[in-house]
Structures are given as structure tokens and as C-alpha cells.
């Protein structure tokens, strides 16, 4: 199988909404509908950094696209197209069939079309760039939070980080716990429907990829505010309930790989957001409040600040 057989066999599909898809020097894409703009993001997954060697290729196909769709969701954008850059150590037919199967299963569910990419030999690395549509002026940016807004989080936090720790050999989870945590790490669900609905309610949003404390700090910086988070309100994944408090705090506040949405909204939106939670069948939990200041402070039941100096996941952290 040469490079072009590989692309033709596993990645080329007839163009649907693109004017020209896989196969030429560039894809040709129609302009956004009137009143809408393009939302664009790129994310890379590197073996040994974002996933462990030997990971299930179907799950890798899913996650490569899912983490990018999560950024579109966080922006309130609807998915349109993506490109895929791959570095592969070799052309393994079974690996490629599983990888592209996982990728296209999610692409079809999300209604996003692969329009091009790049394939090279090299250490296993994949990068997807997504493009979506969002009404001009309607995107969920990081700089729109206001003092007095509630801070909300979707779903549950912390399980994926425990699976990373288990696979890295730092802890040993029971088989039952590992099954739940590994599913959260390997098969994240981008919160696309939530992102679209939040355009009506949220003042700011982002996806929690690096951990709640580190990511909420980005909303704080860009909105020129601080945030107070109540630890007891944080929706820690129920699977972590038997773990020591310090481990639960580290995983849920600083672990990362959650791919939930953190957003701010005025208190007047509370009942609408509760109704949205019921409609989507997805927990939406109020965890804190935006206030004047700079930092994110997480307080325990007694009101004492927790030590969150670890912050969020950082590829270049010295420790
Ligand atoms: N090499 C780079 N060149 C230009 N911009 C970059 C580069 N790396 C990151 N950025 C930009 O910096 C910002 C933060 O990047 P980051 O990858 O942390 O995004 P994120 O959304 O916070 O995380 P994630 O992609 O995991 O959801 C984004 O706006 C991103 O586009
Ligand atoms: C092997 C292995 N080691 C560590 C982790 C944890 N991890 C890696 S990158 C990242 C943040 C999001 O990435 P980015 O900021 O690049 O989008 C997290 C939480 C993992 N998933 N696999
Ligand atoms: Mg993001």
C-alpha cells in the first residue's frame, strides 16, 4: 500500500457539502451562510503525551476528532468541515481501518465532513483542524463573563485523569473503576448540542481540557475577573467516590481530559439552564461565581481556600 492507496482506501469519501474535497491541492469550501462566520480550531494528539502507546485505534480516531469538536462546542459553533494530518510509523491496514472507522463514526454523528489532510511517515501523531459556523456576534467567547455571573460545569469531572494515572502506573484502580474511567478518557463526548443551546444563555464558555481550575482561569484572565468555586458543588464523577479527598480534588480540579463545558451565565438564566439540563439529559451544575479580582479560588465546606497551585495540565510545566 503506497501513500495514495492509503488515502484512497481509508480517508477519501465523495464530497457532500464541500465544493471540492479530498484529492486536490486545496479543498474548496462555500462561504458561510449570510450572518454567520467561520469558527476554526486545530488540536494535535501525540503518542506518549496525549495517549499511551498501543491505544485502541478506533478510540484514537474518535478522540482525535472529538477534542476538536469540543472546541467548536465551546464556541457555540455548528460543525461543518475538518482536515486530518497524520504521521504514521507504518501502513498497518488493521490499524488504519479501525482508526478511520472511529473517526468517521463520530464525523457522521456530528455532521462534519473530511475535506483534506496530509499523511507522512513518522512517530504516531494526529492533528485535526475543524471549521464550523456561528452567527456573527453570537459566539461563546472567553471574554464575556460579568461580575455576579454564575459559573457552571456540564457532566462530571475527574474520571479521565484517574485512567491516565492508572495507565501511567501511579495508582491501581479496580477493574470496575478502570472501565468507567477509561471510557471517559478514550471516548470523550463533545457537548455540541449544549454549546448551541448556550448561545442563548451563556456570557462566556470554554471546554475543560486542562482541568477546571486552569481552564476557568482563562475565562478570568480574558474577562478581567476572578472566580470563587465551591468544592462541594463540583460535580466529581461518582466513580471516584471511594477515593481519598485529595485524589478527588486533584483529578476533578487539575486533571484534565474531561471535555466538559465550563460556562458563565447571569443568575436570571438559572431556571432556563436547569430546563436545558433536563432536555439534554446532561447534568449542568452551578459551581461558583465570578467576582472582581484575578484568581480562581476553590473553597472547602468551611470556606477555607484549597491549595490549587498545581493549576491545570501544562505541556511545559517545569515539574
Ligand atoms: N503555535 C500556536 N500558534 C498560534 N496560536 C496558538 C498556537 N498554539 C496555541 N495557540 C492559540 O492559543 C490559544 C490557547 O491554545 P490551547 O491549545 O491551549 O487551546 P485550548 O482551547 O485552551 O485547549 P484545547 O485545544 O485543549 O481545547 C488558542 O487560541 C490557540 O489557538
Ligand atoms: C499518555 C498521557 N499522558 C498524559 C495525559 C493527560 N493529558 C495530556 S494532554 C492533556 C491536556 C489536553 O491537551 P492539549 O492541551 O494539548 O489540548 C492532558 C490532560 C494523557 N491523556 N495521556
Ligand atoms: Mg478548548
Amino acid at each position: 500500500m503506497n501513500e495514495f492507496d492509503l488515502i484512497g482506501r481509508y480517508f477519501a469519501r465523495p464530497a457532500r457539502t464541500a465544493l471540492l474535497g479530498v484529492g486536490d491541492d486545496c479543498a474548496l469550501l462555500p462561504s458561510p451562510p449570510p450572518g454567520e462566520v467561520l469558527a476554526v480550531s486545530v488540536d494535535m494528539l501525540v503518542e506518549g503525551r496525549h495517549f499511551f502507546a498501543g491505544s485502541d485505534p478506533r478510540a484514537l480516531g474518535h478522540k482525535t476528532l472529538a477534542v476538536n469538536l469540543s472546541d467548536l462546542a465551546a464556541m457555540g459553533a455548528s460543525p461543518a468541515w475538518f482536515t486530518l494530518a497524520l504521521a504514521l510509523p507504518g501502513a498497518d491496514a488493521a490499524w488504519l481501518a479501525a482508526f478511520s472507522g472511529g473517526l468517521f463514526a463520530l464525523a457522521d454523528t456530528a455532521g462534519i465532513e473530511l475535506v483534506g489532510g496530509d499523511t507522512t511517515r513518522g512517530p504516531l501523531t494526529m492533528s485535526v483542524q475543524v471549521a464550523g459556523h456561528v452567527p456573527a456576534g453570537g459566539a461563546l467567547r472567553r471574554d464575556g463573563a460579568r461580575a455576579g455571573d454564575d459559573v457552571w460545569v456540564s457532566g462530571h469531572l475527574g474520571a479521565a485523569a484517574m485512567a491516565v494515572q492508572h495507565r501511567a502506573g501511579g495508582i491501581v484502580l479496580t477493574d470496575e473503576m478502570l472501565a468507567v474511567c477509561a471510557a471517559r478518557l478514550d471516548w470523550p463526548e463533545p457537548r455540541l448540542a449544549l454549546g448551541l443551546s448556550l448561545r442563548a444563555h451563556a456570557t462566556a464558555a470554554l471546554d475543560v481540557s486542562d482541568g477546571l481550575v486552569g481552564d476557568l482561569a482563562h475565562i478570568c484572565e480574558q474577562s478581567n475577573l476572578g472566580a470563587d468555586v465551591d468544592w462541594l458543588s463540583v460535580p466529581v464523577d461518582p466513580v471516584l467516590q471511594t477515593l481519598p479527598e485529595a485524589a478527588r480534588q486533584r483529578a476533578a480540579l487539575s486533571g484534565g481530559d474531561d471535555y466538559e463545558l465550563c460556562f458563565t451565565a447571569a443568575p436570571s438564566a438559572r431556571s432556563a439552564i436547569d430546563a436545558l439540563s433536563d432536555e439534554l439529559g446532561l447534568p449542568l451544575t452551578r459551581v461558583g461565581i465570578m467576582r472582581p479580582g484575578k484568581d480562581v479560588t476553590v473553597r472547602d465546606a468551611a470556606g477555607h481556600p484549597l491549595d490549587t497551585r498545581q493549576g491545570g495540565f501544562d505541556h511545559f510545566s517545569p515539574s
Side-chain angles (χ1 to χ4, degrees), residues 253-301:
L253 297 175
S254 308
D257 268 314
D258 298 300
Y259 298 102
E260 294 296 346
L261 298 189
C262 171
F263 58 95
T264 58
S268 58
R270 283 178 190 174
S271 57
I273 293 170
D274 289 336
L276 181 59
S277 169
D278 291 343
E279 186 192 316
L280 297 174
L282 176 68
L284 298 176
T285 309
R286 212 151 28 88
V287 298
I289 188 165
M290 301 300 297
R291 52 147 170 86
K294 277 178 156 326
D295 53 325
V296 176
T297 306
V298 185
R299 293 180 194 279
D300 66 13

mmCIF file of all heavy atoms in Angstrom, residues 253-301:
data_model
loop_
_atom_site.group_PDB
_atom_site.id
_atom_site.type_symbol
_atom_site.label_atom_id
_atom_site.label_comp_id
_atom_site.label_asym_id
_atom_site.label_seq_id
_atom_site.Cartn_x
_atom_site.Cartn_y
_atom_site.Cartn_z
ATOM 1 N N LEU A 253 -10.154 18.933 39.742
ATOM 2 C CA LEU A 253 -9.831 20.361 39.595
ATOM 3 C C LEU A 253 -8.658 20.601 38.647
ATOM 4 O O LEU A 253 -8.601 21.635 37.985
ATOM 5 C CB LEU A 253 -9.502 20.969 40.965
ATOM 6 C CG LEU A 253 -10.639 20.959 41.998
ATOM 7 C CD1 LEU A 253 -10.146 21.470 43.346
ATOM 8 C CD2 LEU A 253 -11.831 21.798 41.511
ATOM 9 N N SER A 254 -7.713 19.655 38.580
ATOM 10 C CA SER A 254 -6.475 19.892 37.823
ATOM 11 C C SER A 254 -6.103 18.761 36.872
ATOM 12 O O SER A 254 -5.051 18.818 36.249
ATOM 13 C CB SER A 254 -5.297 20.091 38.780
ATOM 14 O OG SER A 254 -5.582 21.071 39.738
ATOM 15 N N GLY A 255 -6.938 17.718 36.768
ATOM 16 C CA GLY A 255 -6.546 16.536 35.999
ATOM 17 C C GLY A 255 -6.576 16.765 34.499
ATOM 18 O O GLY A 255 -5.618 16.515 33.778
ATOM 19 N N GLY A 256 -7.708 17.235 34.001
ATOM 20 C CA GLY A 256 -7.860 17.463 32.562
ATOM 21 C C GLY A 256 -8.427 16.259 31.845
ATOM 22 O O GLY A 256 -8.814 15.259 32.457
ATOM 23 N N ASP A 257 -8.491 16.381 30.504
ATOM 24 C CA ASP A 257 -9.070 15.344 29.636
ATOM 25 C C ASP A 257 -10.574 15.151 29.881
ATOM 26 O O ASP A 257 -11.123 14.102 29.534
ATOM 27 C CB ASP A 257 -8.361 13.984 29.797
ATOM 28 C CG ASP A 257 -7.222 13.788 28.800
ATOM 29 O OD1 ASP A 257 -7.428 14.070 27.609
ATOM 30 O OD2 ASP A 257 -6.132 13.373 29.225
ATOM 31 N N ASP A 258 -11.262 16.141 30.480
ATOM 32 C CA ASP A 258 -12.685 15.975 30.776
ATOM 33 C C ASP A 258 -13.571 16.251 29.556
ATOM 34 O O ASP A 258 -14.597 15.615 29.375
ATOM 35 C CB ASP A 258 -13.098 16.925 31.911
ATOM 36 C CG ASP A 258 -12.363 16.633 33.203
ATOM 37 O OD1 ASP A 258 -12.497 15.511 33.714
ATOM 38 O OD2 ASP A 258 -11.643 17.523 33.694
ATOM 39 N N TYR A 259 -13.214 17.260 28.781
ATOM 40 C CA TYR A 259 -14.001 17.685 27.616
ATOM 41 C C TYR A 259 -15.463 17.957 27.956
ATOM 42 O O TYR A 259 -16.369 17.685 27.186
ATOM 43 C CB TYR A 259 -13.812 16.727 26.420
ATOM 44 C CG TYR A 259 -12.357 16.765 26.033
ATOM 45 C CD1 TYR A 259 -11.481 15.748 26.407
ATOM 46 C CD2 TYR A 259 -11.820 17.894 25.425
ATOM 47 C CE1 TYR A 259 -10.113 15.848 26.156
ATOM 48 C CE2 TYR A 259 -10.461 18.002 25.174
ATOM 49 C CZ TYR A 259 -9.625 16.975 25.539
ATOM 50 O OH TYR A 259 -8.290 17.097 25.289
ATOM 51 N N GLU A 260 -15.655 18.519 29.160
ATOM 52 C CA GLU A 260 -16.948 19.107 29.517
ATOM 53 C C GLU A 260 -16.873 20.602 29.224
ATOM 54 O O GLU A 260 -15.794 21.127 28.940
ATOM 55 C CB GLU A 260 -17.252 18.848 31.000
ATOM 56 C CG GLU A 260 -17.467 17.385 31.346
ATOM 57 C CD GLU A 260 -18.708 16.771 30.663
ATOM 58 O OE1 GLU A 260 -19.543 17.533 30.142
ATOM 59 O OE2 GLU A 260 -18.815 15.532 30.641
ATOM 60 N N LEU A 261 -18.024 21.283 29.268
ATOM 61 C CA LEU A 261 -18.016 22.733 29.080
ATOM 62 C C LEU A 261 -18.124 23.427 30.432
ATOM 63 O O LEU A 261 -18.887 23.005 31.299
ATOM 64 C CB LEU A 261 -19.175 23.184 28.184
ATOM 65 C CG LEU A 261 -19.184 22.644 26.757
ATOM 66 C CD1 LEU A 261 -20.268 23.358 25.926
ATOM 67 C CD2 LEU A 261 -17.834 22.780 26.068
ATOM 68 N N CYS A 262 -17.312 24.476 30.600
ATOM 69 C CA CYS A 262 -17.435 25.377 31.744
ATOM 70 C C CYS A 262 -17.940 26.692 31.171
ATOM 71 O O CYS A 262 -17.407 27.175 30.165
ATOM 72 C CB CYS A 262 -16.073 25.554 32.412
ATOM 73 S SG CYS A 262 -16.054 26.848 33.672
ATOM 74 N N PHE A 263 -18.995 27.249 31.772
ATOM 75 C CA PHE A 263 -19.547 28.494 31.222
ATOM 76 C C PHE A 263 -20.070 29.386 32.327
ATOM 77 O O PHE A 263 -20.288 28.942 33.455
ATOM 78 C CB PHE A 263 -20.641 28.188 30.177
ATOM 79 C CG PHE A 263 -21.791 27.361 30.681
ATOM 80 C CD1 PHE A 263 -22.952 27.971 31.135
ATOM 81 C CD2 PHE A 263 -21.719 25.967 30.691
ATOM 82 C CE1 PHE A 263 -24.028 27.204 31.593
ATOM 83 C CE2 PHE A 263 -22.787 25.189 31.153
ATOM 84 C CZ PHE A 263 -23.939 25.816 31.603
ATOM 85 N N THR A 264 -20.231 30.648 31.990
ATOM 86 C CA THR A 264 -20.774 31.617 32.941
ATOM 87 C C THR A 264 -22.104 32.125 32.391
ATOM 88 O O THR A 264 -22.311 32.174 31.175
ATOM 89 C CB THR A 264 -19.806 32.798 33.133
ATOM 90 O OG1 THR A 264 -19.571 33.418 31.866
ATOM 91 C CG2 THR A 264 -18.472 32.337 33.705
ATOM 92 N N ALA A 265 -22.999 32.470 33.307
ATOM 93 C CA ALA A 265 -24.309 32.987 32.898
ATOM 94 C C ALA A 265 -24.883 33.807 34.041
ATOM 95 O O ALA A 265 -24.588 33.538 35.216
ATOM 96 C CB ALA A 265 -25.250 31.838 32.554
ATOM 97 N N ALA A 266 -25.718 34.769 33.705
ATOM 98 C CA ALA A 266 -26.348 35.603 34.729
ATOM 99 C C ALA A 266 -27.273 34.743 35.585
ATOM 100 O O ALA A 266 -27.848 33.759 35.091
ATOM 101 C CB ALA A 266 -27.158 36.723 34.059
ATOM 102 N N PRO A 267 -27.426 35.098 36.878
ATOM 103 C CA PRO A 267 -28.340 34.328 37.746
ATOM 104 C C PRO A 267 -29.763 34.251 37.178
ATOM 105 O O PRO A 267 -30.473 33.272 37.434
ATOM 106 C CB PRO A 267 -28.316 35.111 39.060
ATOM 107 C CG PRO A 267 -26.988 35.810 39.064
ATOM 108 C CD PRO A 267 -26.688 36.140 37.630
ATOM 109 N N SER A 268 -30.169 35.224 36.378
ATOM 110 C CA SER A 268 -31.522 35.188 35.797
ATOM 111 C C SER A 268 -31.701 34.026 34.820
ATOM 112 O O SER A 268 -32.822 33.687 34.458
ATOM 113 C CB SER A 268 -31.815 36.516 35.080
ATOM 114 O OG SER A 268 -30.831 36.732 34.082
ATOM 115 N N ALA A 269 -30.587 33.403 34.393
ATOM 116 C CA ALA A 269 -30.682 32.284 33.442
ATOM 117 C C ALA A 269 -30.788 30.926 34.145
ATOM 118 O O ALA A 269 -30.882 29.892 33.471
ATOM 119 C CB ALA A 269 -29.463 32.292 32.518
ATOM 120 N N ARG A 270 -30.793 30.913 35.498
ATOM 121 C CA ARG A 270 -30.724 29.625 36.212
ATOM 122 C C ARG A 270 -31.826 28.651 35.802
ATOM 123 O O ARG A 270 -31.563 27.486 35.523
ATOM 124 C CB ARG A 270 -30.796 29.848 37.726
ATOM 125 C CG ARG A 270 -29.490 30.344 38.284
ATOM 126 C CD ARG A 270 -29.591 30.607 39.778
ATOM 127 N NE ARG A 270 -28.392 31.291 40.220
ATOM 128 C CZ ARG A 270 -28.202 31.763 41.443
ATOM 129 N NH1 ARG A 270 -29.148 31.624 42.372
ATOM 130 N NH2 ARG A 270 -27.083 32.377 41.762
ATOM 131 N N SER A 271 -33.082 29.129 35.771
ATOM 132 C CA SER A 271 -34.167 28.169 35.506
ATOM 133 C C SER A 271 -34.086 27.677 34.062
ATOM 134 O O SER A 271 -34.351 26.499 33.782
ATOM 135 C CB SER A 271 -35.527 28.755 35.848
ATOM 136 O OG SER A 271 -35.710 29.943 35.125
ATOM 137 N N ALA A 272 -33.688 28.544 33.141
ATOM 138 C CA ALA A 272 -33.566 28.117 31.732
ATOM 139 C C ALA A 272 -32.459 27.064 31.595
ATOM 140 O O ALA A 272 -32.589 26.089 30.837
ATOM 141 C CB ALA A 272 -33.277 29.321 30.841
ATOM 142 N N ILE A 273 -31.367 27.244 32.350
ATOM 143 C CA ILE A 273 -30.251 26.282 32.255
ATOM 144 C C ILE A 273 -30.642 24.955 32.913
ATOM 145 O O ILE A 273 -30.308 23.881 32.403
ATOM 146 C CB ILE A 273 -28.967 26.904 32.852
ATOM 147 C CG1 ILE A 273 -28.524 28.075 31.956
ATOM 148 C CG2 ILE A 273 -27.849 25.874 32.962
ATOM 149 C CD1 ILE A 273 -27.408 28.943 32.535
ATOM 150 N N ASP A 274 -31.387 25.029 34.021
ATOM 151 C CA ASP A 274 -31.882 23.781 34.624
ATOM 152 C C ASP A 274 -32.792 23.041 33.639
ATOM 153 O O ASP A 274 -32.732 21.814 33.516
ATOM 154 C CB ASP A 274 -32.634 24.073 35.927
ATOM 155 C CG ASP A 274 -31.683 24.507 37.047
ATOM 156 O OD1 ASP A 274 -30.480 24.159 36.968
ATOM 157 O OD2 ASP A 274 -32.134 25.200 37.977
ATOM 158 N N ALA A 275 -33.632 23.782 32.929
ATOM 159 C CA ALA A 275 -34.538 23.149 31.951
ATOM 160 C C ALA A 275 -33.734 22.539 30.808
ATOM 161 O O ALA A 275 -34.053 21.448 30.308
ATOM 162 C CB ALA A 275 -35.540 24.176 31.418
ATOM 163 N N LEU A 276 -32.665 23.229 30.403
ATOM 164 C CA LEU A 276 -31.795 22.716 29.329
ATOM 165 C C LEU A 276 -31.142 21.403 29.771
ATOM 166 O O LEU A 276 -31.024 20.453 28.979
ATOM 167 C CB LEU A 276 -30.744 23.780 29.017
ATOM 168 C CG LEU A 276 -29.750 23.493 27.918
ATOM 169 C CD1 LEU A 276 -30.452 23.248 26.594
ATOM 170 C CD2 LEU A 276 -28.770 24.676 27.794
ATOM 171 N N SER A 277 -30.724 21.346 31.026
ATOM 172 C CA SER A 277 -30.118 20.132 31.565
ATOM 173 C C SER A 277 -31.096 18.953 31.447
ATOM 174 O O SER A 277 -30.731 17.862 31.000
ATOM 175 C CB SER A 277 -29.722 20.381 33.025
ATOM 176 O OG SER A 277 -29.368 19.184 33.650
ATOM 177 N N ASP A 278 -32.354 19.192 31.811
ATOM 178 C CA ASP A 278 -33.377 18.130 31.697
ATOM 179 C C ASP A 278 -33.569 17.726 30.248
ATOM 180 O O ASP A 278 -33.633 16.549 29.913
ATOM 181 C CB ASP A 278 -34.722 18.619 32.263
ATOM 182 C CG ASP A 278 -34.645 18.793 33.776
ATOM 183 O OD1 ASP A 278 -33.713 18.243 34.383
ATOM 184 O OD2 ASP A 278 -35.510 19.504 34.326
ATOM 185 N N GLU A 279 -33.645 18.734 29.384
ATOM 186 C CA GLU A 279 -33.899 18.473 27.955
ATOM 187 C C GLU A 279 -32.768 17.637 27.343
ATOM 188 O O GLU A 279 -33.004 16.711 26.563
ATOM 189 C CB GLU A 279 -33.993 19.835 27.250
ATOM 190 C CG GLU A 279 -34.396 19.811 25.808
ATOM 191 C CD GLU A 279 -34.143 21.199 25.187
ATOM 192 O OE1 GLU A 279 -34.494 22.209 25.842
ATOM 193 O OE2 GLU A 279 -33.567 21.253 24.104
ATOM 194 N N LEU A 280 -31.512 17.963 27.714
ATOM 195 C CA LEU A 280 -30.360 17.264 27.128
ATOM 196 C C LEU A 280 -30.023 15.969 27.871
ATOM 197 O O LEU A 280 -29.205 15.178 27.391
ATOM 198 C CB LEU A 280 -29.124 18.180 27.137
ATOM 199 C CG LEU A 280 -29.210 19.451 26.296
ATOM 200 C CD1 LEU A 280 -27.977 20.326 26.528
ATOM 201 C CD2 LEU A 280 -29.332 19.117 24.803
ATOM 202 N N GLY A 281 -30.598 15.763 29.060
ATOM 203 C CA GLY A 281 -30.230 14.600 29.863
ATOM 204 C C GLY A 281 -28.775 14.670 30.294
ATOM 205 O O GLY A 281 -28.095 13.646 30.380
ATOM 206 N N LEU A 282 -28.299 15.897 30.559
ATOM 207 C CA LEU A 282 -26.889 16.115 30.900
ATOM 208 C C LEU A 282 -26.851 16.995 32.147
ATOM 209 O O LEU A 282 -27.421 18.088 32.144
ATOM 210 C CB LEU A 282 -26.206 16.836 29.723
ATOM 211 C CG LEU A 282 -24.746 17.249 29.905
ATOM 212 C CD1 LEU A 282 -23.843 16.023 29.979
ATOM 213 C CD2 LEU A 282 -24.309 18.141 28.727
ATOM 214 N N PRO A 283 -26.183 16.545 33.227
ATOM 215 C CA PRO A 283 -26.103 17.410 34.412
ATOM 216 C C PRO A 283 -25.441 18.745 34.062
ATOM 217 O O PRO A 283 -24.432 18.768 33.359
ATOM 218 C CB PRO A 283 -25.223 16.618 35.385
ATOM 219 C CG PRO A 283 -25.193 15.217 34.883
ATOM 220 C CD PRO A 283 -25.455 15.275 33.411
ATOM 221 N N LEU A 284 -26.030 19.824 34.532
ATOM 222 C CA LEU A 284 -25.407 21.156 34.432
ATOM 223 C C LEU A 284 -25.410 21.687 35.861
ATOM 224 O O LEU A 284 -26.480 21.836 36.462
ATOM 225 C CB LEU A 284 -26.200 22.072 33.499
ATOM 226 C CG LEU A 284 -26.309 21.600 32.045
ATOM 227 C CD1 LEU A 284 -27.198 22.549 31.225
ATOM 228 C CD2 LEU A 284 -24.932 21.495 31.379
ATOM 229 N N THR A 285 -24.225 21.912 36.401
ATOM 230 C CA THR A 285 -24.087 22.189 37.826
ATOM 231 C C THR A 285 -23.473 23.557 38.047
ATOM 232 O O THR A 285 -22.460 23.905 37.438
ATOM 233 C CB THR A 285 -23.166 21.125 38.474
ATOM 234 O OG1 THR A 285 -23.629 19.830 38.099
ATOM 235 C CG2 THR A 285 -23.143 21.254 39.984
ATOM 236 N N ARG A 286 -24.095 24.310 38.961
ATOM 237 C CA ARG A 286 -23.568 25.614 39.347
ATOM 238 C C ARG A 286 -22.472 25.397 40.369
ATOM 239 O O ARG A 286 -22.727 24.797 41.418
ATOM 240 C CB ARG A 286 -24.707 26.402 39.971
ATOM 241 C CG ARG A 286 -24.657 27.828 39.754
ATOM 242 C CD ARG A 286 -26.017 28.513 39.729
ATOM 243 N NE ARG A 286 -27.099 27.947 40.478
ATOM 244 C CZ ARG A 286 -27.384 28.203 41.753
ATOM 245 N NH1 ARG A 286 -26.621 29.003 42.467
ATOM 246 N NH2 ARG A 286 -28.437 27.658 42.324
ATOM 247 N N VAL A 287 -21.245 25.827 40.058
ATOM 248 C CA VAL A 287 -20.115 25.535 40.953
ATOM 249 C C VAL A 287 -19.522 26.777 41.596
ATOM 250 O O VAL A 287 -18.674 26.667 42.483
ATOM 251 C CB VAL A 287 -18.977 24.764 40.224
ATOM 252 C CG1 VAL A 287 -19.467 23.420 39.718
ATOM 253 C CG2 VAL A 287 -18.376 25.582 39.089
ATOM 254 N N GLY A 288 -19.910 27.958 41.156
ATOM 255 C CA GLY A 288 -19.289 29.143 41.745
ATOM 256 C C GLY A 288 -19.811 30.416 41.139
ATOM 257 O O GLY A 288 -20.848 30.434 40.466
ATOM 258 N N ILE A 289 -19.046 31.485 41.374
ATOM 259 C CA ILE A 289 -19.496 32.822 40.975
ATOM 260 C C ILE A 289 -18.290 33.641 40.481
ATOM 261 O O ILE A 289 -17.175 33.494 40.996
ATOM 262 C CB ILE A 289 -20.226 33.492 42.162
ATOM 263 C CG1 ILE A 289 -20.872 34.794 41.719
ATOM 264 C CG2 ILE A 289 -19.322 33.690 43.344
ATOM 265 C CD1 ILE A 289 -21.889 35.316 42.727
ATOM 266 N N MET A 290 -18.532 34.481 39.501
ATOM 267 C CA MET A 290 -17.498 35.406 39.014
ATOM 268 C C MET A 290 -17.543 36.657 39.890
ATOM 269 O O MET A 290 -18.623 37.132 40.254
ATOM 270 C CB MET A 290 -17.764 35.795 37.552
ATOM 271 C CG MET A 290 -17.795 34.634 36.575
ATOM 272 S SD MET A 290 -16.268 33.679 36.499
ATOM 273 C CE MET A 290 -15.107 34.893 35.898
ATOM 274 N N ARG A 291 -16.365 37.179 40.205
ATOM 275 C CA ARG A 291 -16.286 38.362 41.080
ATOM 276 C C ARG A 291 -15.099 39.219 40.642
ATOM 277 O O ARG A 291 -14.226 38.734 39.909
ATOM 278 C CB ARG A 291 -16.103 37.923 42.537
ATOM 279 C CG ARG A 291 -14.935 36.947 42.682
ATOM 280 C CD ARG A 291 -14.196 37.054 43.961
ATOM 281 N NE ARG A 291 -13.271 35.937 44.110
ATOM 282 C CZ ARG A 291 -12.025 35.920 43.618
ATOM 283 N NH1 ARG A 291 -11.548 36.940 42.933
ATOM 284 N NH2 ARG A 291 -11.248 34.864 43.815
ATOM 285 N N PRO A 292 -15.048 40.457 41.130
ATOM 286 C CA PRO A 292 -13.874 41.269 40.810
ATOM 287 C C PRO A 292 -12.624 40.558 41.321
ATOM 288 O O PRO A 292 -12.688 39.818 42.305
ATOM 289 C CB PRO A 292 -14.121 42.567 41.592
ATOM 290 C CG PRO A 292 -15.597 42.613 41.815
ATOM 291 C CD PRO A 292 -16.037 41.185 41.940
ATOM 292 N N GLY A 293 -11.499 40.747 40.674
ATOM 293 C CA GLY A 293 -10.251 40.097 41.086
ATOM 294 C C GLY A 293 -9.584 39.445 39.899
ATOM 295 O O GLY A 293 -9.851 39.816 38.755
ATOM 296 N N LYS A 294 -8.693 38.470 40.196
ATOM 297 C CA LYS A 294 -7.890 37.866 39.133
ATOM 298 C C LYS A 294 -7.929 36.344 39.173
ATOM 299 O O LYS A 294 -8.003 35.689 38.151
ATOM 300 C CB LYS A 294 -6.414 38.260 39.319
ATOM 301 C CG LYS A 294 -6.040 39.609 38.769
ATOM 302 C CD LYS A 294 -4.573 39.878 39.074
ATOM 303 C CE LYS A 294 -3.903 40.859 38.135
ATOM 304 N NZ LYS A 294 -4.292 40.895 36.768
ATOM 305 N N ASP A 295 -7.848 35.795 40.397
ATOM 306 C CA ASP A 295 -7.539 34.374 40.530
ATOM 307 C C ASP A 295 -8.796 33.526 40.641
ATOM 308 O O ASP A 295 -9.892 34.015 40.848
ATOM 309 C CB ASP A 295 -6.697 34.185 41.799
ATOM 310 C CG ASP A 295 -7.400 34.827 43.004
ATOM 311 O OD1 ASP A 295 -8.054 35.872 42.801
ATOM 312 O OD2 ASP A 295 -7.329 34.274 44.115
ATOM 313 N N VAL A 296 -8.587 32.197 40.513
ATOM 314 C CA VAL A 296 -9.643 31.225 40.800
ATOM 315 C C VAL A 296 -9.384 30.695 42.210
ATOM 316 O O VAL A 296 -8.309 30.163 42.483
ATOM 317 C CB VAL A 296 -9.606 30.053 39.802
ATOM 318 C CG1 VAL A 296 -10.645 29.004 40.169
ATOM 319 C CG2 VAL A 296 -9.813 30.553 38.379
ATOM 320 N N THR A 297 -10.345 30.868 43.098
ATOM 321 C CA THR A 297 -10.219 30.349 44.467
ATOM 322 C C THR A 297 -11.255 29.257 44.668
ATOM 323 O O THR A 297 -12.441 29.481 44.406
ATOM 324 C CB THR A 297 -10.450 31.475 45.501
ATOM 325 O OG1 THR A 297 -9.557 32.544 45.203
ATOM 326 C CG2 THR A 297 -10.196 30.988 46.910
ATOM 327 N N VAL A 298 -10.793 28.089 45.112
ATOM 328 C CA VAL A 298 -11.726 26.987 45.392
ATOM 329 C C VAL A 298 -11.797 26.843 46.907
ATOM 330 O O VAL A 298 -10.759 26.732 47.566
ATOM 331 C CB VAL A 298 -11.240 25.663 44.759
ATOM 332 C CG1 VAL A 298 -12.293 24.570 44.952
ATOM 333 C CG2 VAL A 298 -10.925 25.845 43.282
ATOM 334 N N ARG A 299 -13.009 26.877 47.470
ATOM 335 C CA ARG A 299 -13.166 26.832 48.927
ATOM 336 C C ARG A 299 -13.831 25.538 49.378
ATOM 337 O O ARG A 299 -14.730 25.030 48.697
ATOM 338 C CB ARG A 299 -14.006 28.018 49.404
ATOM 339 C CG ARG A 299 -13.289 29.335 49.193
ATOM 340 C CD ARG A 299 -14.122 30.520 49.665
ATOM 341 N NE ARG A 299 -13.537 31.749 49.149
ATOM 342 C CZ ARG A 299 -12.488 32.371 49.687
ATOM 343 N NH1 ARG A 299 -11.932 31.894 50.784
ATOM 344 N NH2 ARG A 299 -12.017 33.463 49.134
ATOM 345 N N ASP A 300 -13.380 25.032 50.529
ATOM 346 C CA ASP A 300 -13.992 23.822 51.101
ATOM 347 C C ASP A 300 -15.232 24.215 51.899
ATOM 348 O O ASP A 300 -15.610 25.394 51.948
ATOM 349 C CB ASP A 300 -12.966 23.036 51.938
ATOM 350 C CG ASP A 300 -12.516 23.793 53.176
ATOM 351 O OD1 ASP A 300 -13.163 24.810 53.544
ATOM 352 O OD2 ASP A 300 -11.506 23.379 53.779
ATOM 353 N N ALA A 301 -15.842 23.204 52.558
ATOM 354 C CA ALA A 301 -17.112 23.434 53.255
ATOM 355 C C ALA A 301 -16.986 24.532 54.305
ATOM 356 O O ALA A 301 -17.925 25.281 54.562
ATOM 357 C CB ALA A 301 -17.578 22.134 53.898
#
